[in-house]
Amino acid sequence: GAVVSQHPSWVICKSGTSVKIECRSLDFQATTMFWYRQFPKQSLMLMATSNEGSKATYEQGVEKDKFLINHASLTLSTLTVTSAHPEDSSFYICSASGDREETEELFFGSGTQLSVL
Amino acid sequence: GQQLNQSPQSMFIQEGEDVSMNCTSSSIFNTWLWYKQDPGEGPVLLIALYKAGELTSNGRLTAQFGITRKDSFLNISASIPSDVGIYFCAGQETSGSRLTFGEGTQLTVNP
């Protein structure tokens, strides 16, 4: 299947700092990438949808100035958590769809565990 | 917005038993997907369903796309310890569009 790579796998940072998470499609061009957030023992919650070359569309209740999304190329999208606080600690997951038929299923990255101290 | 109700929330079974879980929706989806998630990992696709009434198998897994397009079930036969994890259903309105996830089913398999 299509491969989506997400880095880093985990990150620990101090409160007030910013953290960048990368999501790459390795063997296809991702015209759309999705960013999810997942708390322990809960389902995935969509944060935003990003289309290559345009501004991301954020879900209701997600602060766009807090969670900056950049999708500047067809193989890379980044999520930056700005001025992170402990309540931002969570598991962040990206997924991508693109120009391969099998990516209709939206393959996922391996996730990033963010811990803000 | 759309919601998917997934049940059961958790299951504790013995190795070798069969498992069934299902999802229902308040609205229609054109694609139903089933994922498995291990701790600290992203979801991994198990089965994708594209047509109402479709029954698809992947090894010991079988899933069906409900005829009304508002439900789907996943069966796991002869469970083994490595089946442990959280299983999510997801609905998709159109190809490549956002997914709506169920709440997940936590499966525990006792050897």
Side-chain angles (χ1 to χ4, degrees):
Chain A
V3 179
V4 176
S5 175
Q6 186 174 342
H7 293 281
S9 297
W10 58 270
V11 57
I12 302 173
C13 69
K14 292 182 178 180
S15 184
T17 61
S18 294
V19 175
K20 179 183 286 187
I21 303 170
E22 292 187 349
C23 183
R24 295 180 184 273
S25 56
L26 299 186
D27 56 354
F28 68 99
Q29 292 186 322
T31 51
T32 305
M33 286 191 174
F34 303 86
W35 287 95
Y36 294 83
R37 184 174 182 176
Q38 185 179 31
F39 292 105
K41 299 188 183 300
Q42 293 189 20
S43 188
L44 286 74
M45 294 168 35
L46 181 65
M47 298 174 65
T49 303
S50 74
N51 294 296
E52 186 267 337
S54 61
K55 290 184 178 180
T57 301
Y58 289 81
E59 295 299 301
Q60 189 174 7
V62 178
E63 301 175 56
K64 62 180 181 180
D65 295 330
K66 173 83 173 168
F67 300 98
L68 300 178
I69 292 174
N70 184 283
H71 192 166
S73 79
L74 285 172
T75 59
L76 174 65
S77 176
T78 61
L79 168 67
T80 301
V81 184
T82 62
S83 186
H85 288 91
E87 59 265 29
D88 298 324
S89 299
S90 186
F91 193 57
Y92 293 88
I93 312 172
C94 69
S95 68
S97 66
D99 61 358
R100 287 178 53 171
E101 180 179 343
E102 62 191 48
T103 60
E104 294 174 353
E105 295 92 341
L106 295 178
F107 289 89
F108 285 80
S110 55
T112 298
Q113 181 63 55
L114 171 63
S115 296
V116 184
L117 305 179
Chain B
Q2 295 172 325
Q3 292 185 340
L4 289 185
N5 297 310
Q6 184 172 348
S7 63
Q9 187 175 6
S10 62
M11 301 183 73
F12 298 84
I13 63 172
Q14 293 296 124
E15 182 177 1
E17 291 182 352
D18 297 343
V19 172
S20 184
M21 58 193 78
N22 69 84
C23 278
T24 59
S25 170
S26 58
S27 55
I28 290 173
F29 289 108
N30 285 318
T31 302
W32 280 90
L33 307 161
W34 285 92
Y35 290 87
K36 179 176 184 268
Q37 186 180 28
D38 292 324
E41 298 288 334
V44 174
L45 181 68
L46 299 174
I47 292 180
L49 302 160
Y50 301 106
K51 295 173 63 176
E54 178 182 357
L55 183 69
T56 298
S57 294
N58 178 9
R60 293 178 295 105
L61 278 62
T62 302
Q64 184 159 30
F65 192 150
I67 197 70
T68 65
R69 298 188 175 183
K70 293 184 177 182
D71 63 293
S72 177
F73 72 75
L74 174 70
N75 288 340
I76 305 173
S77 63
S79 59
I80 58 178
S82 62
D83 290 334
V84 167
I86 302 178
Y87 292 79
F88 290 99
C89 64
Q92 188 179 43
E93 289 184 348
T94 58
S95 173
S97 69
R98 56 184 289 175
L99 296 181
T100 300
F101 280 88
E103 301 99 329
T105 296
Q106 173 70 63
L107 178 63
T108 302
V109 180
N110 297 314

